[in-house]
Amino acid sequence: MSAPIEPRTLAYVAERAHAVVDEVQRVYVGPRTVPELLLITLLAKGHALLEGVPGVAKTTLCKAFASTLGAGFRRIQFTPDLLPADITGTYVFSPREGTFQLREGPIFTNVLLGDEINRAPAKTQSALLEAMQEHQATIEGDTRPLPTPFIVLATQNPVEQAGTYPLPEAQIDRFLVRLLIGYPSARDERGILRRFLEGSPQPQQVLAPEQILAMQQMVGQVHVEEEILDYVVRLSTATRQQARVFLGASPRASLALVQAARARALIQGRPFVIPDDIKALAVPVLAHRLVLTPEAEMEGTQREALIQKALEQTPHRSA
């Protein structure tokens, strides 16, 4: 059993997490839960998928978040003609040296922004799978580790838009959370216009890579009671038993929910997970992993509504 986290350390982590969200919100006008979820994803060693129509500040949000981390940042604009080597890199011949040298692709960074990821075909999208799961990239048979920390922030336009490809289920499952970025409220949109007229502020660095790695290790020290594990299992089971769901939450989804809940507890200054952590994260962690029946797809059933239904039907204490 790992040693408990000192209260002073917990308070410092919570203060730094609060500062990260504050800095992001100097640039990004929207719900505070959105940058919080990005930070939770980073500390849980996961990846985030941001979905929304063009022009709702998905890319701005990702850039602002990366700026607070003091880590390497690269951006890939996904297009239909993008090749896997454009992501991972390739060996090129150097006439001066007389040898082939590796030209690393943009994936060799700490924060990778994959803009409009569903505009590239499945073969190119699959180039990210190994990196997202194993934190390594294989280039012409040579496997190289990626820098740490490492997180993929991918933006996606709705599938019904022209020129997009639906992401493979195996790749969707690699994203710890999916965030739906909608249109801002009238008040928020007015705030966006005002900031643009006055000159958008630049977020300041709040964390350093070594601090992020230390916080990621602390996530593993957050305590999870057996009762919480039972609650997660019952919740995942409830998603599999719904009539409109063809494939419910998998054991990997359950693991992701527990890990995200530990990260949420940490940034709130708690050394243990509570049921509210599970409830707050169930929709962003589980909804995108559900595979609906054809009838449910045709009727436009919302996956988020199905998760909410499962939450309502599943008490956090066993009978």
Side-chain angles (χ1 to χ4, degrees):
M1 183 176 179
S2 58
I5 309 173
E6 293 183 1
R8 183 173 58 182
T9 303
L10 283 170
Y12 176 77
V13 170
E15 184 271 328
R16 290 290 83 192
H18 189 85
V20 166
V21 176
D22 284 346
E23 283 299 315
V24 172
Q25 291 216 290
R26 292 179 61 205
V27 177
Y28 171 74
V29 180
R32 190 177 180 84
T33 54
V34 172
E36 281 182 352
L37 281 168
L38 291 184
L39 183 58
I40 287 169
T41 301
L42 174 67
L43 298 187
K45 300 182 181 180
H47 310 283
L49 178 63
L50 292 80
E51 184 172 316
V53 297
V56 291
K58 299 186 299 296
T59 302
T60 300
L61 167 64
C62 295
K63 287 183 176 179
F65 178 68
S67 297
T68 67
L69 306 179
F73 173 75
R74 301 288 291 275
R75 175 180 178 270
I76 303 174
Q77 177 62 55
F78 280 75
T79 57
D81 60 350
L82 194 72
L83 299 175
D86 296 328
I87 297 174
T88 60
T90 187
Y91 283 93
V92 295
F93 183 74
S94 172
R96 178 178 299 178
E97 303 292 336
T99 59
F100 283 92
Q101 296 182 348
L102 176 63
R103 179 177 296 170
E104 293 183 344
I107 202 170
F108 288 92
T109 188
N110 300 115
V111 182
L112 178 68
L113 170 58
D115 230 346
E116 298 185 307
I117 190 174
N118 60 331
R119 289 203 176 276
K123 182 178 181 180
T124 301
Q125 292 171 359
S126 66
L128 286 175
L129 284 176
E130 181 185 16
M132 294 171 68
Q133 186 67 24
E134 307 294 338
H135 286 200
Q136 64 184 30
T138 300
I139 307 168
E140 299 181 19
D142 183 18
T143 300
R144 296 172 61 89
L146 297 176
T148 55
F150 176 71
I151 182 175
V152 173
L153 304 176
T155 70
Q156 174 177 257
N157 292 333
V159 173
E160 63 266 22
Q161 295 226 344
T164 61
Y165 302 81
L167 294 180
E169 296 298 335
Q171 186 171 359
I172 289 178
D173 198 41
R174 296 307 195 278
F175 288 102
L176 182 74
V177 300
R178 182 183 67 157
L179 306 179
L180 299 178
I181 310 296
Y183 288 113
S185 66
R187 179 181 178 182
D188 284 346
E189 189 164 359
R190 187 168 62 250
I192 293 170
L193 298 178
R194 176 54 56 194
R195 289 190 188 186
F196 178 80
L197 292 175
E198 296 175 352
S200 180
Q202 295 299 314
Q204 300 299 310
Q205 178 181 337
V206 175
L207 296 174
E210 56 270 19
Q211 291 177 304
I212 297 169
L213 293 174
M215 292 164 72
Q216 287 178 337
Q217 287 187 332
M218 289 180 209
V219 170
Q221 297 174 260
V222 175
H223 181 68
V224 185
E225 287 283 353
E226 291 295 325
E227 188 173 316
I228 295 291
L229 298 180
D230 290 340
Y231 179 41
V232 171
V233 171
R234 293 198 306 274
L235 184 59
S236 294
T237 302
T239 68
R240 302 166 196 161
Q241 296 174 342
Q242 297 198 37
R244 293 176 173 268
V245 176
F246 180 68
L247 291 176
S250 67
R252 182 179 5 215
S254 300
L255 285 169
L257 183 54
V258 171
Q259 191 69 356
R262 296 172 93 182
R264 184 177 188 266
L266 180 67
I267 68 170
Q268 292 192 352
R270 281 184 282 106
F272 52 86
V273 173
I274 60 176
D276 283 350
D277 294 324
I278 303 298
K279 295 174 183 177
L281 294 168
V283 170
V285 173
L286 299 182
H288 63 289
R289 303 171 192 266
L290 301 185
V291 179
L292 305 184
T293 62
E295 295 79 12
E297 290 278 10
M298 291 179 62
E299 294 171 5
T301 301
Q302 297 295 315
R303 291 171 173 82
E304 292 75 19
L306 295 176
I307 297 298
Q308 288 290 358
K309 182 179 178 181
L311 283 169
E312 293 168 3
Q313 295 175 342
T314 308
H316 67 266
R317 294 182 181 273
S318 56

